[in-house]
Amino acid sequence: MSDEEHQFESKADAGASKTYPQQAGTIRKGGHIVIKNHACKVVEVSTSKTGKHGHAKCHFVAIDIFNGKKLEDIVPSSHNCDVPHVSRADYQLIDISEDGFVCLLIENGNNKDDLKLPTDDALLTQIKDGFAEGKDLVVSVMSAMGEEQICALKDIGPK
């Protein structure tokens, strides 16, 4: 045996996957699924039985959680589908820069500056108007598959 210690150079992250496999037949309405490399929320599932030697097929209709586009996929119910790890976190809004980025306060006291304003016009005007009025705003940030986007807004009162 060797007495010297081994040095490991790690250039990767913790190895956590952006998705996990789940059998297509067990995915339900309201769940999440990856269709064409987009994290989507399932709005409709229908299962069809096929002939003697075929598989039962699941037809998924889903909406992309980041851009709102409708996507469809048909998968044999016994096969695995990718399901994204979707998480949601609330941050306090500190500032909005001229180039469309927001500055958010994270729970540990640091700032998060790498997030753009949402593309949804209604939410965008709510955020800009509330910030201009000097309200304390908390934004909900949804993240999945390496993407993050502001998806909701809460007003916690005046500053």
Side-chain angles (χ1 to χ4, degrees):
M1 292 291 168
S2 174
D3 290 336
E4 52 187 83
E5 289 186 31
H6 293 286
Q7 296 294 322
F8 294 103
E9 290 183 30
S10 176
K11 293 181 177 78
D13 58 5
S17 177
K18 294 176 174 141
T19 62
Y20 61 93
Q22 185 173 344
Q23 194 170 1
T26 62
I27 297 173
R28 300 282 168 240
K29 181 178 173 179
H32 292 91
I33 188 171
V34 176
I35 299 177
K36 297 178 186 155
N37 251 0
H38 293 275
C40 303
K41 186 172 184 109
V42 178
V43 292
E44 187 183 325
V45 180
S46 56
T47 308
S48 61
K49 303 279 184 220
T50 55
K52 276 197 254 181
H53 304 293
H55 288 279
K57 300 242 188 322
C58 292
H59 177 242
F60 296 104
V61 178
I63 295 176
D64 189 313
I65 60 176
F66 294 117
N67 64 23
K69 287 189 178 154
K70 188 176 187 180
L71 296 165
E72 295 186 41
D73 199 8
I74 296 174
V75 183
S77 64
S78 59
H79 290 201
N80 281 346
C81 291
D82 284 335
V83 176
H85 290 285
V86 180
S87 63
R88 194 176 183 138
D90 292 341
Y91 303 111
Q92 186 169 355
L93 180 66
I94 297 173
D95 191 24
I96 300 175
S97 63
E98 287 91 33
D99 58 354
F101 283 88
V102 294
C103 182
L104 304 172
L105 182 67
I106 304 176
E107 286 178 10
N108 64 8
N110 293 340
N111 290 351
K112 180 176 179 63
D113 303 324
D114 59 349
L115 208 57
K116 278 195 157 206
L117 282 165
T119 51
D120 178 29
D121 290 331
L123 188 58
L124 179 64
T125 53
Q126 276 185 316
I127 291 172
K128 284 187 171 179
D129 292 348
F131 186 73
E133 291 170 18
K135 293 181 180 173
D136 260 345
L137 301 175
V138 172
V139 294
S140 293
V141 176
M142 189 173 300
S143 58
M145 297 181 63
E147 281 187 72
E148 288 184 315
Q149 183 176 315
I150 295 172
C151 61
L153 174 71
K154 288 183 222 159
D155 182 3
I156 56 172
K159 284 187 177 174

